[in-house]
Amino acid sequence: MCGIVAYVGARPCTRLLYNGLRKLEYRGYDSAGLSVLKNGELETIRSVGNLDSLERELERNGDSGAKVGLGHTRWATHGRPSVENAHPHSDCTGRISIVLNGIIENYTGLRQQLIGEGHEFTSETDAEVVSHLIEKHYSGDLLEAIRKTYGELEGHFAFCAINSDQPGLIAGARKECPLLIGIGEGESFIASAIPAFLAETRDVMPLDDGELFVATADKVEIFDLDRQPLDREITRVDWDEDAAEKAGFETFMRKEIFEQPAALTDTISGRLPGGDVYLEEMAIPDADLAAIDKIYVLACGTSYHAGLVGRYVIERWARVPVELDIASEFRYRDPVLTPSTLVIGISQSGETADTLVAMRQARETGSKVLAITNIMGSQATRDADGILYTRAGLEIGVAATKTHLAQIAAIQMVALRLAQVKGTLAPEEIGAISAEMRSIPALLERYLKTESATYEIARRHYRQPFFLYLGRGIGLPVCLEGALKLKEISYIPTEAYAAGEMKHGPIALLEKDSPVVVIATDGHIYDKVISNIEEVRAREATVIAVASEGNDSIRNYSDDVMYVPKVREMLSPLLSVVPLQLLAYHIARLKGLNVDQPRNLAKTVTVE
């Protein structure tokens, strides 16, 4: 998840590009850079760190007065944060410069091919192959070189390019990553999101997947992959700057819920090619993974619930016993750790104090430690033997949504990797699970278009003083997370329990019409869940079920149903938790509460 901005027009563009990057800094802050064209030469400035570092470099160099340029702020995926890995990237001739958002999944093969043809690379990134491919295909027509380059790329991406041989134009392409064009008077802007150019123009032309563009100061042309011209209407955007930061959504939390398909795509992309599981950052040798005989998962809050999903999945697929611990308790219980123990610490920020202390304690015993985190360069990455980044992008809302889903996907991939190394799943089964995981972002995007049903359920129940959440098996961590979301942002007292445990106490809380949210997606203990629902109905409580599409019979046992696409049982939390996020969101909004900044909570807990 990176930020792209580009400009061509009559004004000096260095400050315009920098200001645009400031509006996109939430998309990445590991490094940043600009390339501008002046007097037939490319000038590139790059820096490591947030945009303050780039601003200092720009002040030292001064404004070149260039009127064509590209800018980029990076969320690192391939290659550590460094000046060499920062965008823009150039070709061997130094006449082509590109910026890219996304992931080139087949970059390894392309890189080796290009090196064999004599190209010299200067970075570790996947993006640099694009500049060299454009160089390879360029014969006087930048757009044609981009079209041929697009045909060789696999993955999801959007990129822009400039060429000193064709000054005065910017060209690029989009596949499954956002790219929009702002139309000004005698100038054109290109960016990953509208806020980058909103202060300059409100006239927007969106690009769709599989489209190419050429922009000059006076004209923008869009083409399909056969280079046939496409008509595209200009849309007038009436957002204020606050709405623009939220991409038109009313809150950051809502925006981030709807960003979950992209967060999942980014987290999975390149890691599940075919029937393989490729987790390079784990950096734990196969022999050590094969010898693992016990796993501890350490986390807090929402990350703890992702870890609980991991326990079910690892034990099912890799057949390794898993203990889950609240990180703040782990260090005080004198756990039994050996060199054949794997400790997995999950922290969105990579700075959660309790999790960090527990990870260090485990590493001191000789156990292998794996960090699952969303922030490159965070403390967790320095306290671990291996890392798995979730690639969810910056999350502004305090109540975690897209980072939680990305954590679930990450630990599911760890389970698949362990199963692969230990041979507990056949290769064809790993391939089938991988294919289904890759399909889930599209299923989730389709589901999010049906959220009005969840709003209506929230409207019927938001005045209730108490909610009970129930789940069994893989549905238990989902119900725990759903209840936490409701508590966090609506302040409604809420209990979450293993459904089979309800009759051992929590059932006493039920009264007539008490809302009970039950995770009833398809699985091997579905019939047991139905028995628990019957116990609830016998107390005249109201049942709100989360169920798999196609299950019509659940309506016989429930007052309301929130359907999600049907997938295999161990993958179901990637979908079933989303209606609970939306339910909590709509209830809190109906109560008039600030969902982005719930009282007494902070995004990152850096104290014990």
Side-chain angles (χ1 to χ4, degrees), residues 10-131:
R11 290 191 278 170
C13 66
T14 300
R15 184 51 56 175
L16 288 170
L17 294 170
Y18 177 79
N19 290 342
L21 290 179
R22 273 293 181 194
K23 295 297 185 180
L24 297 178
E25 192 169 13
Y26 71 92
R27 297 184 64 88
Y29 37 78
D30 297 318
S31 58
L34 301 177
S35 278
V36 295
L37 261 175
K38 185 180 181 185
N39 299 326
E41 298 291 333
L42 274 174
E43 297 179 7
T44 299
I45 298 173
R46 301 183 292 182
S47 67
V48 177
N50 62 26
L51 285 170
D52 292 341
S53 301
L54 180 62
E55 185 168 30
R56 288 191 291 269
E57 291 294 325
L58 294 175
E59 288 172 352
R60 277 193 285 269
N61 286 270
D63 194 329
S64 68
K67 298 174 182 178
V68 180
L70 309 169
H72 188 272
T73 183
R74 183 173 185 242
W75 181 272
T77 56
H78 295 78
R80 68 194 187 284
S82 68
V83 171
E84 294 79 15
N85 291 332
H87 297 220
H89 290 293
S90 296
D91 68 324
C92 296
T93 70
R95 303 189 70 77
I96 294 168
S97 186
I98 70 102
V99 288
L100 179 141
N101 171 32
I103 295 173
I104 307 302
E105 294 181 357
N106 61 333
Y107 86 100
T108 302
L110 291 171
R111 184 185 178 104
Q112 292 306 312
Q113 173 191 322
L114 288 161
I115 289 173
E117 295 170 358
H119 291 261
E120 295 182 2
F121 284 74
T122 61
S123 78
E124 305 166 300
T125 70
D126 56 333
E128 192 182 353
V129 301
V130 175
S131 58

Side-chain angles (χ1 to χ4, degrees), residues 468 501-511 535-536 539:
L468 178 65
E501 186 71 3
M502 176 182 58
K503 52 185 163 289
H504 297 287
I507 199 168
L509 296 170
L510 296 183
E511 300 175 347
E535 292 169 344
V536 168
R539 276 73 188 176

Side-chain angles (χ1 to χ4, degrees), residues 345-485:
I346 308 178
S347 168
Q348 182 278 138
S349 66
E351 303 290 347
T352 307
D354 293 318
T355 304
L356 293 175
V357 171
M359 288 168 60
R360 290 173 194 140
Q361 177 184 337
R363 207 173 183 193
E364 288 168 2
T365 69
S367 297
K368 294 286 187 244
V369 175
L370 172 67
I372 295 178
T373 182
N374 197 44
I375 306 297
M376 183 167 283
S378 60
Q379 186 61 46
T381 67
R382 300 191 288 276
D383 291 341
D385 298 290
I387 310 159
L388 190 57
Y389 291 110
T390 51
R391 303 174 180 169
L394 185 64
E395 190 172 63
I396 302 296
V398 169
T401 52
K402 65 177 181 176
T403 55
H404 174 65
L405 223 61
Q407 288 172 346
I408 292 174
I411 203 163
Q412 287 169 334
M413 289 189 291
V414 171
L416 278 181
R417 178 69 180 137
L418 286 166
Q420 184 179 53
V421 170
K422 289 176 169 289
T424 52
L425 288 179
E428 54 269 24
E429 181 69 4
I430 292 175
I433 295 170
S434 298
E436 192 165 358
M437 282 190 74
R438 293 195 300 269
S439 75
I440 286 178
L443 296 176
L444 180 53
E445 194 156 4
R446 172 169 64 84
Y447 167 75
L448 286 168
K449 294 175 181 176
T450 69
E451 67 149 331
S452 58
T454 306
Y455 172 80
E456 289 303 319
I457 294 170
R459 191 174 58 80
R460 287 194 286 273
H461 301 290
Y462 78 95
R463 292 187 179 90
Q464 291 290 340
F466 167 76
F467 279 69
L468 178 65
Y469 281 62
L470 300 175
R472 298 189 80 137
I474 199 74
L476 176 58
V478 175
C479 92
L480 291 169
E481 175 62 13
L484 177 62
K485 284 292 156 287

Side-chain angles (χ1 to χ4, degrees), residues 536-556:
V536 168
R537 296 177 73 213
R539 276 73 188 176
E540 298 186 84
T542 298
V543 175
I544 303 168
V546 177
S548 302
E549 287 178 347
N551 181 1
D552 295 329
S553 65
I554 190 69
R555 294 189 180 279
N556 298 326

Side-chain angles (χ1 to χ4, degrees), residues 11 85 118 177-178 186 188 194 203 250 270 279 294 302 328 392 457 465 477 498 517 562 590-591 600:
R11 290 191 278 170
N85 291 332
C177 282
S188 300
I194 291 172
D203 291 333
E250 58 193 359
L279 304 178
K294 187 172 184 178
T302 286
S328 57
I457 294 170
V517 180
M562 297 184 288
L590 286 163
K591 290 169 70 69
N600 303 330

